[in-house]
Amino acid sequence: MEFKVGKSVFFLEEGDLTLQETEAIVNAANSRLAGGGGVDGAIHRAGGPAIMEESRKIGGCPTGQAVITTGGNLKAKYVIHTVGPIYQGGSQGEARLLASAYHESLTLAHKKGIRSLAFPSLSTGAYGYPLEEAARIAVKTVADYLRQHPVFDRVGFVLFGNQAFQTYAQAASKELQSLRK
Ligand code: AR6
């Protein structure tokens, strides 16, 4: 599914983020950059040890911020590691921190001159963020950035499983109604 937002293509796909051929993919990391399960585990397995070596040198990343490493053996040249919030009921600044994780990842990609980027659904696995609310924030934050900064060719989401894909598709249809390509 694709939409035109500003000068960029905004895409939604169902599948495995580690197979993406965008210039960079975004990792749902933890603040110690220590690796883990979910998409983080999959990225380190597919990308090989170079990603962890660089992560160790960087040392960590606060919630809502982003850092960058090589993509190792991945097709993507770079991995942007961002840290979404752990969902604790919604009154601990989670929405702001989730939006920040998307925004800071885009800002870092922009600074690096990266032209295509794929995100997973941050915080909606181990970190427990309710999917519908997370999808709304994710789609809005990315679409707003693309409207304000016409610097990317393609930016979008690779969703794991049909439920996540359908939820993001619905959020995107609402946010981008008139823009479907
Ligand atoms: N491609 C795309 N999406 C995936 C993939 C994949 N290969 N694998 C899982 N997902 P999670 P979080 C989806 O738990 O909630 C880690 O241990 C998954 O279905 O990966 O931000 C880190 O080290 C879900 O929709 O990330 C942190 O400690 C989404 O990715 C912690 O988990 C995010 O789920 C971060 O938790």
Side-chain angles (χ1 to χ4, degrees):
M1 184 181 257
E2 293 191 348
F3 304 83
K4 187 97 187 191
V5 180
K7 289 208 157 35
S8 310
V9 172
F10 174 95
F11 68 90
L12 296 179
E13 280 177 33
E14 184 181 339
D16 180 351
L17 182 67
T18 65
L19 304 175
Q20 269 294 307
E21 296 186 14
T22 46
E23 201 177 344
I25 62 172
V26 178
N27 183 18
N30 53 66
S31 55
R32 290 170 300 126
L33 302 178
V39 71
D40 193 3
I43 286 172
H44 283 288
R45 272 195 303 280
I51 300 175
M52 186 50 79
E53 275 164 34
E54 280 186 49
S55 298
R56 277 205 201 93
K57 283 185 197 146
I58 296 167
C61 177
T63 304
Q65 299 294 307
V67 299
I68 190 165
T69 67
T70 170
N73 303 327
L74 294 168
K75 288 178 182 153
K77 194 168 168 198
Y78 301 102
V79 177
I80 291 177
H81 305 261
T82 190
V83 184
I86 299 171
Y87 192 76
Q88 296 172 290
S91 58
Q92 306 297 311
E94 291 96 329
R96 180 182 57 77
L97 288 166
L98 185 62
S100 173
Y102 284 106
H103 190 272
E104 293 305 305
S105 298
L106 289 159
T107 303
L108 183 52
H110 180 175
K111 262 193 220 154
K112 284 272 170 189
I114 289 166
R115 299 197 57 100
S116 60
L117 181 65
F119 284 96
S121 173
L122 298 173
S123 282
T124 59
Y127 281 0
Y129 212 115
L131 187 58
E132 268 180 39
E133 177 63 5
R136 199 183 57 73
I137 293 167
V139 167
K140 181 170 178 17
T141 306
V142 172
D144 281 347
Y145 197 95
L146 298 183
R147 288 185 189 110
Q148 288 158 17
H149 307 273
V151 295
F152 295 106
D153 298 326
R154 281 174 66 76
V155 177
F157 292 87
V158 179
L159 288 325
F160 208 55
N162 192 251
Q163 194 200 352
F165 178 78
Q166 293 300 338
T167 305
Y168 273 71
Q170 220 167 52
S173 306
K174 275 191 195 153
E175 173 71 27
L176 307 169
Q177 232 157 25
S178 55
L179 305 170
R180 181 99 191 252
K181 263 179 68 181

